[in-house]
Amino acid sequence: IDSTPFQTHPQQNVHGLERAGSLAGGMLMVGKGLRRGGFFGLIELAIGGAVLARGITGYCGAKNLVEKNRDEMNKVRARIERVGAELGQL
């Protein structure tokens, strides 16, 4: 066995200013959540932690899912255009 799912590292899909913004926003939200306390502070802390993790790792599962669906839609669009061109030739 070369690797397990826990050993594989996902490809980074968050770069540049987006990653820096995630780091800054995550730290800000974690700090605000800690200061606020209570239930809403805990929610803010959890969201801030997720955003901070996104910035640290450079990977976002939600963005990956959106990009995957966008790629599939582009493939379908290209196929429809190709079939339309073939029908036009008939």
Side-chain angles (χ1 to χ4, degrees):
I1 298 175
D2 292 332
S3 66
T4 66
F6 299 108
Q7 293 174 328
T8 58
H9 300 286
Q11 183 178 358
Q12 290 184 346
N13 61 357
V14 180
H15 304 283
L17 291 176
E18 185 180 4
R19 190 169 182 183
S22 292
L23 288 168
M27 287 190 296
L28 181 69
M29 287 185 76
V30 166
K32 286 181 71 178
L34 288 172
R35 281 192 303 276
R36 175 181 245 169
F39 179 71
F40 292 110
L42 184 62
I43 290 173
E44 198 167 19
L45 182 66
I47 293 171
V51 173
L52 188 59
R54 177 183 191 260
I56 291 170
T57 63
Y59 177 77
C60 178
K63 184 175 182 180
N64 188 42
L65 184 63
V66 168
E67 288 175 349
K68 180 181 175 186
N69 289 338
R70 184 179 301 145
D71 288 342
E72 289 176 9
M73 190 161 62
N74 287 336
K75 288 176 187 176
V76 169
R77 181 179 295 140
R79 178 181 277 172
I80 290 171
E81 289 174 356
R82 187 177 64 239
V83 168
E86 290 174 2
L87 284 174
Q89 291 175 352
L90 292 176

